Amino acid sequence: MGKVIAIANQKGGVGKTTTAINLAASLAAAEYKVLLIDIDPQANSSGGVGVDVKTLDKTVYEVLVNNLNVEKSILTTSMPNLSLLPSHINLVGAEIEMVSTQNRESVLKNAIRKIINNFDFIVIDCPPSLGLLTLNALTASDSVLIPVQCEYYALEGLGQLLNTISIIRHRLNPKLDIEGVLLTMYDSRLRLSNQVVDEVRRHFGSKAFNTLINRNVRISEAPSYGKPVILYDATSIGAKNYLELAKEIITANAKYLNKGN
């Protein structure tokens, strides 16, 4: 059975989509079967792996709102072992359309249940909000990975996210765990970056990943070419950082994987 990891932080600009794309691709590079689910209406994860969502009529929107069989919406990508359940701008209205749906917080969970044995990892890119789409992702997930940028006010708003996780644990998904807190946009030359690292590691302890995601031009450029950074420039520091993160996650989740460590 695959491990389902949501990438969530209601604060924008923290590297959430970048992490979803590049973690999924790095896990795929390690020869695990990976599904990237994009439930952000901006569809940046879909574009970031080379998919033009404007041409699609079967997306996660149809799965959530029209009860389409999820297998009919899954696409292959140019990255071996990496599949995509794409997003669509129509998701903007999905939360309103799903209001009257029975067990509306569990729609994605029920859809994933049908295909979970087909993948080693399922990575979900959440919107930058704590609305119904993010609640669906957290209800469907085994754990949540929280990206935090190495900037002033880095921990601002995290209390609200942690409170939401606690509520979901209590009411909807008792097994939901924190996979880890990932420090992004790190610059070793800046005192502030190092102060944020120290603060996050002091606050979260072992739940803070050892891997730091450095500021890296290649990471920023890759999405415009529709590629994860590992395909755009495998020798870049950004690619190496995300491969290191994937190794941490693989090691921590050996029990979920057919291949073990």
PDB file of all heavy atoms in Angstrom, residues 106-133:
ATOM      1  N   SER A 106     -14.208  13.682   2.498  1.00  0.00           N
ATOM      2  CA  SER A 106     -13.601  12.376   2.220  1.00  0.00           C
ATOM      3  C   SER A 106     -13.683  11.959   0.761  1.00  0.00           C
ATOM      4  O   SER A 106     -13.381  10.817   0.421  1.00  0.00           O
ATOM      5  CB  SER A 106     -14.280  11.295   3.087  1.00  0.00           C
ATOM      6  OG  SER A 106     -14.125  11.597   4.458  1.00  0.00           O
ATOM      7  N   VAL A 107     -14.082  12.879  -0.123  1.00  0.00           N
ATOM      8  CA  VAL A 107     -14.240  12.528  -1.541  1.00  0.00           C
ATOM      9  C   VAL A 107     -12.911  12.078  -2.143  1.00  0.00           C
ATOM     10  O   VAL A 107     -12.829  11.050  -2.829  1.00  0.00           O
ATOM     11  CB  VAL A 107     -14.818  13.720  -2.339  1.00  0.00           C
ATOM     12  CG1 VAL A 107     -14.889  13.367  -3.831  1.00  0.00           C
ATOM     13  CG2 VAL A 107     -16.203  14.083  -1.819  1.00  0.00           C
ATOM     14  N   LEU A 108     -11.842  12.819  -1.898  1.00  0.00           N
ATOM     15  CA  LEU A 108     -10.534  12.453  -2.458  1.00  0.00           C
ATOM     16  C   LEU A 108     -10.039  11.141  -1.852  1.00  0.00           C
ATOM     17  O   LEU A 108      -9.489  10.289  -2.556  1.00  0.00           O
ATOM     18  CB  LEU A 108      -9.519  13.563  -2.218  1.00  0.00           C
ATOM     19  CG  LEU A 108      -8.128  13.341  -2.818  1.00  0.00           C
ATOM     20  CD1 LEU A 108      -8.205  13.226  -4.338  1.00  0.00           C
ATOM     21  CD2 LEU A 108      -7.176  14.472  -2.420  1.00  0.00           C
ATOM     22  N   LYS A 109     -10.242  10.970  -0.568  1.00  0.00           N
ATOM     23  CA  LYS A 109      -9.828   9.733   0.103  1.00  0.00           C
ATOM     24  C   LYS A 109     -10.494   8.522  -0.538  1.00  0.00           C
ATOM     25  O   LYS A 109      -9.841   7.505  -0.818  1.00  0.00           O
ATOM     26  CB  LYS A 109     -10.184   9.803   1.585  1.00  0.00           C
ATOM     27  CG  LYS A 109      -9.834   8.542   2.364  1.00  0.00           C
ATOM     28  CD  LYS A 109     -10.222   8.681   3.829  1.00  0.00           C
ATOM     29  CE  LYS A 109      -9.858   7.437   4.628  1.00  0.00           C
ATOM     30  NZ  LYS A 109     -10.210   7.592   6.061  1.00  0.00           N
ATOM     31  N   ASN A 110     -11.780   8.624  -0.799  1.00  0.00           N
ATOM     32  CA  ASN A 110     -12.507   7.506  -1.405  1.00  0.00           C
ATOM     33  C   ASN A 110     -12.036   7.238  -2.830  1.00  0.00           C
ATOM     34  O   ASN A 110     -12.012   6.082  -3.273  1.00  0.00           O
ATOM     35  CB  ASN A 110     -14.013   7.794  -1.373  1.00  0.00           C
ATOM     36  CG  ASN A 110     -14.561   7.823   0.042  1.00  0.00           C
ATOM     37  OD1 ASN A 110     -14.016   7.179   0.944  1.00  0.00           O
ATOM     38  ND2 ASN A 110     -15.637   8.572   0.261  1.00  0.00           N
ATOM     39  N   ALA A 111     -11.660   8.300  -3.547  1.00  0.00           N
ATOM     40  CA  ALA A 111     -11.153   8.126  -4.914  1.00  0.00           C
ATOM     41  C   ALA A 111      -9.787   7.454  -4.906  1.00  0.00           C
ATOM     42  O   ALA A 111      -9.527   6.522  -5.686  1.00  0.00           O
ATOM     43  CB  ALA A 111     -11.076   9.481  -5.609  1.00  0.00           C
ATOM     44  N   ILE A 112      -8.909   7.904  -4.007  1.00  0.00           N
ATOM     45  CA  ILE A 112      -7.552   7.361  -3.928  1.00  0.00           C
ATOM     46  C   ILE A 112      -7.558   5.893  -3.532  1.00  0.00           C
ATOM     47  O   ILE A 112      -6.711   5.110  -3.968  1.00  0.00           O
ATOM     48  CB  ILE A 112      -6.709   8.190  -2.924  1.00  0.00           C
ATOM     49  CG1 ILE A 112      -6.359   9.549  -3.521  1.00  0.00           C
ATOM     50  CG2 ILE A 112      -5.424   7.455  -2.537  1.00  0.00           C
ATOM     51  CD1 ILE A 112      -5.614  10.456  -2.560  1.00  0.00           C
ATOM     52  N   ARG A 113      -8.512   5.518  -2.707  1.00  0.00           N
ATOM     53  CA  ARG A 113      -8.602   4.144  -2.213  1.00  0.00           C
ATOM     54  C   ARG A 113      -8.553   3.124  -3.366  1.00  0.00           C
ATOM     55  O   ARG A 113      -8.043   2.019  -3.221  1.00  0.00           O
ATOM     56  CB  ARG A 113      -9.913   4.005  -1.448  1.00  0.00           C
ATOM     57  CG  ARG A 113      -9.885   3.027  -0.299  1.00  0.00           C
ATOM     58  CD  ARG A 113     -11.209   3.050   0.434  1.00  0.00           C
ATOM     59  NE  ARG A 113     -11.168   3.855   1.623  1.00  0.00           N
ATOM     60  CZ  ARG A 113     -12.233   4.317   2.252  1.00  0.00           C
ATOM     61  NH1 ARG A 113     -13.432   4.089   1.768  1.00  0.00           N
ATOM     62  NH2 ARG A 113     -12.100   5.021   3.351  1.00  0.00           N
ATOM     63  N   LYS A 114      -9.100   3.507  -4.526  1.00  0.00           N
ATOM     64  CA  LYS A 114      -9.200   2.589  -5.661  1.00  0.00           C
ATOM     65  C   LYS A 114      -7.860   2.346  -6.349  1.00  0.00           C
ATOM     66  O   LYS A 114      -7.694   1.350  -7.060  1.00  0.00           O
ATOM     67  CB  LYS A 114     -10.207   3.144  -6.683  1.00  0.00           C
ATOM     68  CG  LYS A 114     -11.612   3.330  -6.111  1.00  0.00           C
ATOM     69  CD  LYS A 114     -12.485   4.130  -7.058  1.00  0.00           C
ATOM     70  CE  LYS A 114     -13.854   4.429  -6.427  1.00  0.00           C
ATOM     71  NZ  LYS A 114     -14.661   5.332  -7.276  1.00  0.00           N
ATOM     72  N   ILE A 115      -6.915   3.256  -6.150  1.00  0.00           N
ATOM     73  CA  ILE A 115      -5.645   3.143  -6.896  1.00  0.00           C
ATOM     74  C   ILE A 115      -4.420   3.125  -5.980  1.00  0.00           C
ATOM     75  O   ILE A 115      -3.296   3.115  -6.466  1.00  0.00           O
ATOM     76  CB  ILE A 115      -5.512   4.277  -7.942  1.00  0.00           C
ATOM     77  CG1 ILE A 115      -5.815   5.661  -7.329  1.00  0.00           C
ATOM     78  CG2 ILE A 115      -6.449   4.043  -9.111  1.00  0.00           C
ATOM     79  CD1 ILE A 115      -4.649   6.438  -6.873  1.00  0.00           C
ATOM     80  N   ILE A 116      -4.636   3.100  -4.687  1.00  0.00           N
ATOM     81  CA  ILE A 116      -3.512   3.278  -3.759  1.00  0.00           C
ATOM     82  C   ILE A 116      -2.481   2.153  -3.862  1.00  0.00           C
ATOM     83  O   ILE A 116      -1.297   2.355  -3.632  1.00  0.00           O
ATOM     84  CB  ILE A 116      -4.014   3.430  -2.305  1.00  0.00           C
ATOM     85  CG1 ILE A 116      -2.891   3.970  -1.421  1.00  0.00           C
ATOM     86  CG2 ILE A 116      -4.582   2.118  -1.769  1.00  0.00           C
ATOM     87  CD1 ILE A 116      -3.347   4.601  -0.149  1.00  0.00           C
ATOM     88  N   ASN A 117      -2.921   0.970  -4.241  1.00  0.00           N
ATOM     89  CA  ASN A 117      -1.983  -0.149  -4.352  1.00  0.00           C
ATOM     90  C   ASN A 117      -1.154  -0.103  -5.638  1.00  0.00           C
ATOM     91  O   ASN A 117      -0.254  -0.924  -5.820  1.00  0.00           O
ATOM     92  CB  ASN A 117      -2.738  -1.477  -4.266  1.00  0.00           C
ATOM     93  CG  ASN A 117      -3.275  -1.731  -2.873  1.00  0.00           C
ATOM     94  OD1 ASN A 117      -2.646  -1.374  -1.878  1.00  0.00           O
ATOM     95  ND2 ASN A 117      -4.449  -2.335  -2.783  1.00  0.00           N
ATOM     96  N   ASN A 118      -1.460   0.846  -6.510  1.00  0.00           N
ATOM     97  CA  ASN A 118      -0.715   0.971  -7.763  1.00  0.00           C
ATOM     98  C   ASN A 118       0.546   1.822  -7.621  1.00  0.00           C
ATOM     99  O   ASN A 118       1.340   1.918  -8.550  1.00  0.00           O
ATOM    100  CB  ASN A 118      -1.601   1.600  -8.852  1.00  0.00           C
ATOM    101  CG  ASN A 118      -2.818   0.757  -9.171  1.00  0.00           C
ATOM    102  OD1 ASN A 118      -2.860  -0.427  -8.848  1.00  0.00           O
ATOM    103  ND2 ASN A 118      -3.819   1.359  -9.787  1.00  0.00           N
ATOM    104  N   PHE A 119       0.700   2.472  -6.453  1.00  0.00           N
ATOM    105  CA  PHE A 119       1.801   3.412  -6.269  1.00  0.00           C
ATOM    106  C   PHE A 119       2.503   3.176  -4.937  1.00  0.00           C
ATOM    107  O   PHE A 119       1.902   2.710  -3.975  1.00  0.00           O
ATOM    108  CB  PHE A 119       1.281   4.857  -6.320  1.00  0.00           C
ATOM    109  CG  PHE A 119       0.656   5.216  -7.634  1.00  0.00           C
ATOM    110  CD1 PHE A 119      -0.722   5.135  -7.810  1.00  0.00           C
ATOM    111  CD2 PHE A 119       1.436   5.600  -8.711  1.00  0.00           C
ATOM    112  CE1 PHE A 119      -1.314   5.442  -9.029  1.00  0.00           C
ATOM    113  CE2 PHE A 119       0.863   5.911  -9.931  1.00  0.00           C
ATOM    114  CZ  PHE A 119      -0.512   5.834 -10.101  1.00  0.00           C
ATOM    115  N   ASP A 120       3.786   3.521  -4.907  1.00  0.00           N
ATOM    116  CA  ASP A 120       4.550   3.489  -3.652  1.00  0.00           C
ATOM    117  C   ASP A 120       4.339   4.771  -2.859  1.00  0.00           C
ATOM    118  O   ASP A 120       4.279   4.749  -1.628  1.00  0.00           O
ATOM    119  CB  ASP A 120       6.041   3.298  -3.949  1.00  0.00           C
ATOM    120  CG  ASP A 120       6.325   1.985  -4.647  1.00  0.00           C
ATOM    121  OD1 ASP A 120       5.924   0.946  -4.112  1.00  0.00           O
ATOM    122  OD2 ASP A 120       6.945   2.004  -5.733  1.00  0.00           O
ATOM    123  N   PHE A 121       4.264   5.884  -3.577  1.00  0.00           N
ATOM    124  CA  PHE A 121       4.028   7.183  -2.948  1.00  0.00           C
ATOM    125  C   PHE A 121       2.976   7.952  -3.728  1.00  0.00           C
ATOM    126  O   PHE A 121       2.973   7.942  -4.965  1.00  0.00           O
ATOM    127  CB  PHE A 121       5.305   8.030  -2.910  1.00  0.00           C
ATOM    128  CG  PHE A 121       6.332   7.572  -1.922  1.00  0.00           C
ATOM    129  CD1 PHE A 121       7.431   6.825  -2.340  1.00  0.00           C
ATOM    130  CD2 PHE A 121       6.223   7.881  -0.566  1.00  0.00           C
ATOM    131  CE1 PHE A 121       8.400   6.409  -1.437  1.00  0.00           C
ATOM    132  CE2 PHE A 121       7.178   7.456   0.347  1.00  0.00           C
ATOM    133  CZ  PHE A 121       8.269   6.716  -0.085  1.00  0.00           C
ATOM    134  N   ILE A 122       2.095   8.650  -3.011  1.00  0.00           N
ATOM    135  CA  ILE A 122       1.180   9.609  -3.602  1.00  0.00           C
ATOM    136  C   ILE A 122       1.455  10.945  -2.928  1.00  0.00           C
ATOM    137  O   ILE A 122       1.384  11.061  -1.703  1.00  0.00           O
ATOM    138  CB  ILE A 122      -0.291   9.193  -3.418  1.00  0.00           C
ATOM    139  CG1 ILE A 122      -0.555   7.872  -4.160  1.00  0.00           C
ATOM    140  CG2 ILE A 122      -1.232  10.289  -3.917  1.00  0.00           C
ATOM    141  CD1 ILE A 122      -1.961   7.318  -3.975  1.00  0.00           C
ATOM    142  N   VAL A 123       1.823  11.938  -3.723  1.00  0.00           N
ATOM    143  CA  VAL A 123       2.164  13.270  -3.212  1.00  0.00           C
ATOM    144  C   VAL A 123       1.075  14.240  -3.656  1.00  0.00           C
ATOM    145  O   VAL A 123       0.768  14.332  -4.853  1.00  0.00           O
ATOM    146  CB  VAL A 123       3.542  13.721  -3.744  1.00  0.00           C
ATOM    147  CG1 VAL A 123       3.856  15.143  -3.281  1.00  0.00           C
ATOM    148  CG2 VAL A 123       4.638  12.753  -3.299  1.00  0.00           C
ATOM    149  N   ILE A 124       0.477  14.961  -2.706  1.00  0.00           N
ATOM    150  CA  ILE A 124      -0.632  15.870  -3.009  1.00  0.00           C
ATOM    151  C   ILE A 124      -0.188  17.313  -2.819  1.00  0.00           C
ATOM    152  O   ILE A 124       0.227  17.702  -1.723  1.00  0.00           O
ATOM    153  CB  ILE A 124      -1.854  15.592  -2.116  1.00  0.00           C
ATOM    154  CG1 ILE A 124      -2.245  14.106  -2.160  1.00  0.00           C
ATOM    155  CG2 ILE A 124      -3.031  16.461  -2.543  1.00  0.00           C
ATOM    156  CD1 ILE A 124      -3.401  13.736  -1.225  1.00  0.00           C
ATOM    157  N   ASP A 125      -0.295  18.114  -3.874  1.00  0.00           N
ATOM    158  CA  ASP A 125      -0.003  19.547  -3.789  1.00  0.00           C
ATOM    159  C   ASP A 125      -1.287  20.289  -3.446  1.00  0.00           C
ATOM    160  O   ASP A 125      -2.238  20.306  -4.228  1.00  0.00           O
ATOM    161  CB  ASP A 125       0.560  20.045  -5.124  1.00  0.00           C
ATOM    162  CG  ASP A 125       0.939  21.528  -5.067  1.00  0.00           C
ATOM    163  OD1 ASP A 125       1.134  22.046  -3.957  1.00  0.00           O
ATOM    164  OD2 ASP A 125       1.032  22.149  -6.144  1.00  0.00           O
ATOM    165  N   CYS A 126      -1.324  20.889  -2.253  1.00  0.00           N
ATOM    166  CA  CYS A 126      -2.531  21.556  -1.759  1.00  0.00           C
ATOM    167  C   CYS A 126      -2.550  23.033  -2.150  1.00  0.00           C
ATOM    168  O   CYS A 126      -1.501  23.637  -2.387  1.00  0.00           O
ATOM    169  CB  CYS A 126      -2.598  21.461  -0.237  1.00  0.00           C
ATOM    170  SG  CYS A 126      -2.660  19.782   0.395  1.00  0.00           S
ATOM    171  N   PRO A 127      -3.737  23.639  -2.166  1.00  0.00           N
ATOM    172  CA  PRO A 127      -3.827  25.089  -2.383  1.00  0.00           C
ATOM    173  C   PRO A 127      -3.271  25.843  -1.173  1.00  0.00           C
ATOM    174  O   PRO A 127      -3.186  25.276  -0.079  1.00  0.00           O
ATOM    175  CB  PRO A 127      -5.336  25.345  -2.517  1.00  0.00           C
ATOM    176  CG  PRO A 127      -5.991  24.015  -2.601  1.00  0.00           C
ATOM    177  CD  PRO A 127      -5.068  23.019  -1.999  1.00  0.00           C
ATOM    178  N   PRO A 128      -2.918  27.122  -1.339  1.00  0.00           N
ATOM    179  CA  PRO A 128      -2.441  27.924  -0.204  1.00  0.00           C
ATOM    180  C   PRO A 128      -3.608  28.451   0.632  1.00  0.00           C
ATOM    181  O   PRO A 128      -3.825  29.659   0.758  1.00  0.00           O
ATOM    182  CB  PRO A 128      -1.675  29.061  -0.893  1.00  0.00           C
ATOM    183  CG  PRO A 128      -2.347  29.200  -2.220  1.00  0.00           C
ATOM    184  CD  PRO A 128      -2.796  27.833  -2.619  1.00  0.00           C
ATOM    185  N   SER A 129      -4.379  27.532   1.188  1.00  0.00           N
ATOM    186  CA  SER A 129      -5.524  27.880   2.034  1.00  0.00           C
ATOM    187  C   SER A 129      -5.872  26.657   2.860  1.00  0.00           C
ATOM    188  O   SER A 129      -5.359  25.562   2.615  1.00  0.00           O
ATOM    189  CB  SER A 129      -6.733  28.287   1.182  1.00  0.00           C
ATOM    190  OG  SER A 129      -7.266  27.147   0.521  1.00  0.00           O
ATOM    191  N   LEU A 130      -6.762  26.845   3.821  1.00  0.00           N
ATOM    192  CA  LEU A 130      -7.221  25.706   4.631  1.00  0.00           C
ATOM    193  C   LEU A 130      -8.691  25.415   4.341  1.00  0.00           C
ATOM    194  O   LEU A 130      -9.461  25.078   5.240  1.00  0.00           O
ATOM    195  CB  LEU A 130      -6.991  25.989   6.123  1.00  0.00           C
ATOM    196  CG  LEU A 130      -5.529  26.091   6.554  1.00  0.00           C
ATOM    197  CD1 LEU A 130      -5.422  26.424   8.036  1.00  0.00           C
ATOM    198  CD2 LEU A 130      -4.775  24.797   6.251  1.00  0.00           C
ATOM    199  N   GLY A 131      -9.076  25.543   3.074  1.00  0.00           N
ATOM    200  CA  GLY A 131     -10.450  25.291   2.660  1.00  0.00           C
ATOM    201  C   GLY A 131     -10.731  23.814   2.432  1.00  0.00           C
ATOM    202  O   GLY A 131      -9.943  22.938   2.810  1.00  0.00           O
ATOM    203  N   LEU A 132     -11.843  23.539   1.753  1.00  0.00           N
ATOM    204  CA  LEU A 132     -12.319  22.164   1.582  1.00  0.00           C
ATOM    205  C   LEU A 132     -11.363  21.308   0.753  1.00  0.00           C
ATOM    206  O   LEU A 132     -11.233  20.101   0.997  1.00  0.00           O
ATOM    207  CB  LEU A 132     -13.714  22.182   0.939  1.00  0.00           C
ATOM    208  CG  LEU A 132     -14.429  20.830   0.814  1.00  0.00           C
ATOM    209  CD1 LEU A 132     -14.537  20.127   2.169  1.00  0.00           C
ATOM    210  CD2 LEU A 132     -15.817  21.022   0.200  1.00  0.00           C
ATOM    211  N   LEU A 133     -10.670  21.897  -0.206  1.00  0.00           N
ATOM    212  CA  LEU A 133      -9.723  21.113  -1.007  1.00  0.00           C
ATOM    213  C   LEU A 133      -8.566  20.616  -0.150  1.00  0.00           C
ATOM    214  O   LEU A 133      -8.173  19.449  -0.225  1.00  0.00           O
ATOM    215  CB  LEU A 133      -9.197  21.941  -2.182  1.00  0.00           C
ATOM    216  CG  LEU A 133     -10.230  22.313  -3.251  1.00  0.00           C
ATOM    217  CD1 LEU A 133      -9.621  23.268  -4.271  1.00  0.00           C
ATOM    218  CD2 LEU A 133     -10.787  21.074  -3.942  1.00  0.00           C
TER     219      LEU A 133
END
